[in-house]
Amino acid sequence: MNASLLKPASFISFIGAMLLATTACAQPSDMAATSQKVSQSVKNTKAAGTVSPSVDRRLRQLLTQAGIKTQISSIVPSNLPNMYQVNLVGQLPLHITEDGNYVIQGELQKNPSKRVVTKTPARSTIAQVGKPVSASVKADILANMGALKNMSAKTPFFYTAVPGVIWGATLEGVPFLLSDDAQYITDGEISVIKNGQFIGLDEQFEKRKNQSVFATLDANQLITYPATSAEKAVIYVATDVNCPYCRRLHHQMPMLNAKGVTVKTIGYPIYDASPEQMRGIWCQGTEDSRRKALDKAMLQGKMTSAPASCKADPVTPNREKAAGLAVMATPAIYREDGVLFQASFESPEFLEFLGVQ
């Protein structure tokens, strides 16, 4: 396996991405221009120091066995806690845990913010993997991210399987990793090495994180289509009324319900016109009237206006909580156990994924 299979070799400044994010199936952005602008004020900081010869030798052997063909120029302590940085010739560096189980490929960016909180945070435990960080840890992280203007109390942060490394996402759903003191940030992702081979991203973390997100959603603001036969599966769908593929999935709703699938719809507007249009649907007075308004939008392309009495925005709160799902395209379909379906919902594999026939 080549290191570039972990992540594309091209690297866009993550801090730039945080300031102007994209979501597939709609939102355009000029990532390159933003990256160039931010790179003028942000310098990459490389880890320095030494590791013992035995650790160096063991990690080299492990990575070679796992299929890394690129020459390793050096291994040094990483600026990410509990990790070593593996410098590769012509590739982005790897960051790997001492036991060799978890790997991140990506260049670390030094957070340009003033460091306000200097204490070392309490490191996470196995039981906390995939759980939101504590309120105190979140407050400390945000205090150290003052120069990053789109970070707020609504920004989701979760503990990963690497103590001291935190997973976060912008409210647009763009994921990132950072040290728990918020000093170093990367747009890399955590991959797993098991039995000497790369097996992909940390699926256990993703499942637990997504379950944690589902638990925070306001059930009253989910438009639910209950199974019309014995329930066999529950799925969450992040949807936009102007997304053509969302509409195509919506046409399958009666079939899914008849097969025992309950569908919980998360309003996830990404097109410019969608927030107000979806507010009109979600503002309808009863769950049945919301379902009918959503059906009308999805099946006929006809939108329902919000009643004059509805001054609230019932869509945005769940949309912001769902940022932790890191939705890259709509419709985003998740099983209740947190697993994302990553193929065409029009393929036979979809029903197999749901465990129905």
Side-chain angles (χ1 to χ4, degrees), residues 5-26:
L5 296 181
L6 284 174
K7 192 164 184 69
S10 61
F11 178 71
I12 297 176
S13 164
F14 173 69
I15 295 178
M18 290 172 68
L19 299 177
L20 188 57
T22 62
T23 303
C25 193

Side-chain angles (χ1 to χ4, degrees), residues 161-233:
V162 182
V165 177
I166 303 297
W167 183 98
T170 67
L171 291 184
E172 292 78 18
V174 179
F176 57 94
L177 297 170
L178 72 160
S179 55
D180 56 6
D181 59 7
Q183 294 307 290
Y184 294 92
I185 309 172
T186 180
D187 64 348
E189 298 176 285
I190 297 180
S191 296
V192 177
I193 295 179
K194 188 175 182 179
N195 298 324
Q197 297 297 322
F198 285 99
I199 62 172
L201 298 182
D202 188 353
E203 293 182 355
Q204 287 303 311
F205 164 76
E206 287 292 330
K207 288 174 61 175
R208 293 172 184 174
K209 170 181 67 67
N210 293 342
Q211 290 174 34
S212 295
V213 173
F214 298 154
T216 69
L217 298 176
D218 181 353
N220 293 324
Q221 298 304 336
L222 298 173
I223 297 181
T224 300
Y225 291 79
T228 53
S229 63
E231 187 177 87
K232 298 177 181 177

Side-chain angles (χ1 to χ4, degrees), residues 11-288:
F11 178 71
I12 297 176
S13 164
F14 173 69
I15 295 178
M18 290 172 68
L19 299 177
L20 188 57
T22 62
T23 303
C25 193
Q27 301 176 10
S29 69
D30 187 356
M31 298 287 286
T34 303
S35 175
Q36 183 178 7
K37 180 179 179 181
V38 175
S39 66
Q40 296 174 1
S41 60
V42 179
K43 296 181 180 179
N44 295 337
T45 300
K46 294 183 178 179
T50 60
V51 300
S52 70
S54 61
V55 170
D56 184 288
R57 182 169 55 254
R58 180 167 52 80
L59 292 179
R60 287 174 185 268
Q61 291 174 344
L62 186 150
L63 290 169
T64 299
Q65 178 184 352
I68 296 295
K69 305 297 184 184
T70 306
Q71 180 182 349
I72 297 173
S73 59
S74 64
I75 300 179
V76 297
S78 173
N79 283 317
L80 291 176
N82 296 304
M83 304 197 86
Y84 293 97
Q85 179 169 310
V86 181
N87 296 312
L88 304 172
V89 176
Q91 294 279 352
L92 296 179
L94 301 179
H95 304 269
I96 187 168
T97 52
E98 185 171 354
D99 59 13
N101 291 337
Y102 298 100
V103 177
I104 300 166
Q105 185 173 23
E107 191 170 4
L108 302 184
Q109 295 275 313
K110 181 69 172 68
N111 180 0
S113 309
K114 178 182 178 181
R115 186 173 184 180
V116 176
V117 179
T118 59
K119 65 182 180 182
T120 301
R123 296 282 148 79
S124 57
T125 65
I126 293 177
Q128 291 175 301
V129 174
K131 302 293 185 182
V133 302
S134 68
S136 61
V137 168
K138 184 172 187 175
D140 290 347
I141 289 173
L142 292 174
N144 286 341
M145 301 183 82
L148 304 178
K149 301 304 181 184
N150 64 344
M151 295 291 101
S152 73
K154 296 179 181 178
T155 303
F157 295 102
F158 293 84
Y159 295 111
T160 72
V162 182
V165 177
I166 303 297
W167 183 98
T170 67
L171 291 184
E172 292 78 18
V174 179
F176 57 94
L177 297 170
L178 72 160
S179 55
D180 56 6
D181 59 7
Q183 294 307 290
Y184 294 92
I185 309 172
T186 180
D187 64 348
E189 298 176 285
I190 297 180
S191 296
V192 177
I193 295 179
K194 188 175 182 179
N195 298 324
Q197 297 297 322
F198 285 99
I199 62 172
L201 298 182
D202 188 353
E203 293 182 355
Q204 287 303 311
F205 164 76
E206 287 292 330
K207 288 174 61 175
R208 293 172 184 174
K209 170 181 67 67
N210 293 342
Q211 290 174 34
S212 295
V213 173
F214 298 154
T216 69
L217 298 176
D218 181 353
N220 293 324
Q221 298 304 336
L222 298 173
I223 297 181
T224 300
Y225 291 79
T228 53
S229 63
E231 187 177 87
K232 298 177 181 177
V234 176
I235 61 174
Y236 290 80
V237 178
T239 195
D240 182 299
V241 292
N242 289 301
C243 168
Y245 291 99
C246 298
R247 293 181 176 183
R248 286 164 65 172
L249 175 62
H250 203 88
H251 277 83
Q252 296 192 18
M253 203 76 77
M255 178 272 291
L256 291 173
N257 293 157
K259 289 182 177 293
V261 180
T262 292
V263 181
K264 297 184 177 183
T265 302
I266 306 168
Y268 203 91
I270 52 179
Y271 287 81
D272 289 343
S274 299
E276 183 57 28
Q277 291 173 340
M278 296 179 76
R279 190 182 78 86
I281 295 169
W282 263 255
C283 267
Q284 300 307 303
T286 66
E287 185 174 6
D288 186 59

